[in-house]
Amino acid sequence: QVQFVESGGGLVQPGGSLRLSCVASGGIANLYTMGWFRQAPGNQREWVATIANGGRTTNVVDSVKGRFTISRDNAKNTVYLQMNSLKPEDTAVYYCNTLPKQPYWGQGTQVTVSS
């Protein structure tokens, strides 16, 4: 069973940057495509970015294109989300998971963009 521990969130002003990390334990996460997801209050969880297991193929949702970059270090079982030019609408709890998704999610990391 793969487990996820997300970190790196916080309070940042509009235009600022954060780098999120997700450590995936369980030994097989490196075989999967990995994704970042987010859930804002009152909204459903949405997909933000994905990266293939080899790290060469990435995709991001249009709303973050040009601002967010996903990467991974398979030796560390870790996937990252570099977030630049943050906007208030990026405020959410951010989660990672494999694709296809594992049934259990981590606790996520809160990102708040506010002046």
Side-chain angles (χ1 to χ4, degrees):
Q1 176 178 320
V2 182
Q3 296 179 323
F4 308 103
V5 179
E6 300 93 348
S7 63
L11 173 63
V12 63
Q13 292 186 342
S17 297
L18 286 172
R19 188 193 194 204
L20 307 184
S21 299
C22 167
V23 178
S25 63
I28 62 172
N30 292 344
L31 300 178
Y32 287 90
T33 292
M34 292 292 298
W36 281 98
F37 303 81
R38 66 186 180 185
Q39 187 168 19
N43 290 354
Q44 291 188 335
R45 191 173 292 161
E46 65 173 355
W47 162 74
V48 176
T50 56
I51 184 167
N53 59 351
R56 292 186 178 181
T57 303
T58 63
N59 287 289
V60 296
V61 68
D62 285 347
S63 60
V64 308
K65 199 163 289 185
R67 301 189 297 120
F68 290 13
T69 303
I70 187 171
S71 61
R72 67 191 295 167
D73 184 340
N74 286 343
K76 297 182 178 179
N77 295 320
T78 302
V79 62
Y80 304 97
L81 187 67
Q82 177 66 44
M83 306 188 297
N84 300 326
S85 302
L86 282 160
K87 302 176 180 180
E89 52 263 43
D90 296 318
T91 295
V93 180
Y94 284 71
Y95 303 87
C96 67
N97 207 322
T98 60
L99 282 97
K101 297 186 194 72
Q102 301 295 315
Y104 300 105
W105 294 77
Q107 292 190 332
T109 186
Q110 175 72 49
V111 172
T112 303
V113 185
S114 174
S115 55

